[in-house]
Amino acid sequence: MQLSFFNNKFIQQLFMISGTVLALGDCFSVQAEILQSERPNVILILSDDQGYGDVGFHGNTNLKTPHLDQMAAKGVELSRFYCSPVCAPTRASLMTGRYYYRTGVIHTSRGGAKMHGDEVTMAELLKDAGYKTGIFGKWHLGDNFPMRPQDQGFEESLIHKSGGIGQSPDKPNSYFNSWLWKNGTQQKVVGYCTDVFFKAAIDFIDREKTGPKPFFVYLPTNAPHTPLEVSPSYWRPYQKAGLNETTAKVYGMISNLDDNLGKLIAYLKRSHLLDTTIVLFIGDNGPQQKRFNAGLRGRKSSTYEGGIRVPFLASWPGRFQEGMKSDQIAAHIDVLPTLLALTKTPLPETLKLDGIDLSSLLLNKSKALPKRSLFFQVHRGLTPQQYQNSAVVSSRFKLVGYPGTFGNENLMRSNEPTLELYDILIDPGEKNNLIQTKTKIAQQLRQQYESWFLSMRQSRNFEPGLIIVNQEKESPCVLCRYQDGNYFQGRSQGWMVKITHSGLYKIQIDKGQVQKSGKLIVNWQGRQTHEYLKQSESMADFELSEGTGLLDIWFQVEGEDRSHPTENGTVGDVILKRLD
């Protein structure tokens, strides 16, 4: 009887404890839901080659951008926001919060736009913190495993490959009815590319808006990057107003983008999402063509202000101060830490960032950011040279190194680098070089640059990301010669790869217009083999062993020397597929 009583009492107590635990669990669950609901959605829009002057609110009286102008009036503008002077480096820094040299990205093509797969991206961090993640537009950080968007934290993706629609490996292609890649599968879409990307983003939001998770949308358009394709209804009015055809088409593409921004904002309002959604709009670098740039010197690829200073707008109604404009320096590396803070997403202790958190500025909790300098450098070739096409930007002064040498892969350097110094606060057009009169300031900035460059070298020794040939992750594996092949002195030398499994591989090569017999040659790990191809053949089987190194594959016409195609085409592209 006593045992039975004890058991009954124990059971009663157990039920009481269980009820308390369940109640506490419900409480914690409610608190978690409240916390989750308080976390804002995020939309990050990045336009391509839209410079500082390519908006109405920067004094461009020829270009109509009413929705961007409204966003500037109702949100926050950072008027001294900087990006790298070309595409892929900006995207690497934006996604990681780190200077792009640390990520394996060197420039935009020819093996220089491959971000290491172990880099931790904004999408990975937000996904791990409970966000639904999607990208719609231009990735440009690697088209192979483990560098693709789906490998780097994006649960849904609709993108084009390479640096632009119509570039290899996706040739031929057009901004209208484009061939795109949805979650890794190629498909034909209907409509104009910017319209398609914005609609896909809105459809993604519409599916996720009632779910338990907030969403992160990355919307990097390829407009207004070349080729300059847009409906005549957008660009002919600018031409009729007296602008040349090139500028008219660029402005037409921007007007279309602005219209799509207006549709997105209208959708957020209708869906009662505007007050719970952070919207950022950023340009990725200066304009490619010569046109109005608000008095700034230089264009795309230049480290003068016109090449690296871009529009930055931030909107979060009720949270960001309406109409606030700040002239403090900020950059692409700051976006990730800022969004982590605003979304209450923890930063792993092992993850070292170069950017800082701007949230206190955007929320109007602090007027001053920490004193610092920002660093920029981009060039062709896979071997960075100190000072080449570089810049150091402080709150007032700017040091420019070897200006105009972006495309010079063999920079002829003297003992003393070519340097220029400008007081950006009073001379934003960089007209008055102070290098001879402000020697102390120039030396300070020079020392900062040299420390930065050494730090970049020590990160990965400027080695681009590695393509991993793994048929379980990517089958077949497409190796694009122009975009991803290693180039030396203007010639493709093959691809840096890691082959995870030894076996028999079918190798197919794009011979282009060559209709001759010859040899398909494979050089892997110091061993060169070949198979003869008839004039109608383009593929053969080869044994490849696992390992890491330079995989060089080419077709050589019988009786002729090896040719080295250099244009942005598909000739020399290779498809690998393991057969066993």
Side-chain angles (χ1 to χ4, degrees), residues 126 153 227-228 233 270 430 443 474 519 531 537:
L126 290 174
L228 303 181
S233 64
R270 288 196 310 273
E430 296 167 290
Q443 185 61 28
E474 181 185 15
K519 294 186 290 186
E531 293 289 341
E537 295 177 330

Side-chain angles (χ1 to χ4, degrees), residues 66-76 261 265 279-281 313-315:
H67 300 293
L68 284 169
D69 296 350
Q70 177 74 0
M71 188 175 174
K74 295 292 185 179
V76 175
L261 174 65
I265 298 299
V279 181
L280 301 182
F281 180 90
L313 299 176
S315 172

Side-chain angles (χ1 to χ4, degrees), residues 492-508:
S492 173
Q493 306 295 314
W495 299 265
M496 285 299 300
V497 304
K498 177 181 180 181
I499 297 178
T500 60
H501 296 86
S502 300
L504 184 65
Y505 287 79
K506 182 174 290 297
I507 297 180
Q508 181 177 353

Side-chain angles (χ1 to χ4, degrees), residues 81-96:
F81 189 88
Y82 292 91
C83 284
S84 296
V86 290
C87 309
T90 285
R91 292 155 206 278
S93 291
L94 194 69
M95 283 292 101
T96 65

Side-chain angles (χ1 to χ4, degrees), residues 230-253 255:
V230 68
S231 170
S233 64
Y234 275 104
W235 70 266
R236 287 202 184 279
Y238 287 112
Q239 187 185 48
K240 290 179 181 178
L243 299 177
N244 63 64
E245 184 172 322
T246 295
T247 303
K249 287 185 174 179
V250 171
Y251 285 1
M253 295 169 82
S255 288

Side-chain angles (χ1 to χ4, degrees), residues 132-134 136 155-156 199-209 215-217:
K132 295 292 289 185
T133 59
F136 309 93
E155 297 167 283
E156 182 160 332
K199 184 180 184 304
I202 291 173
D203 289 345
F204 173 78
I205 295 169
D206 206 49
R207 292 194 301 271
E208 301 300 334
K209 67 182 180 182
F215 57 79
F216 166 54
V217 167

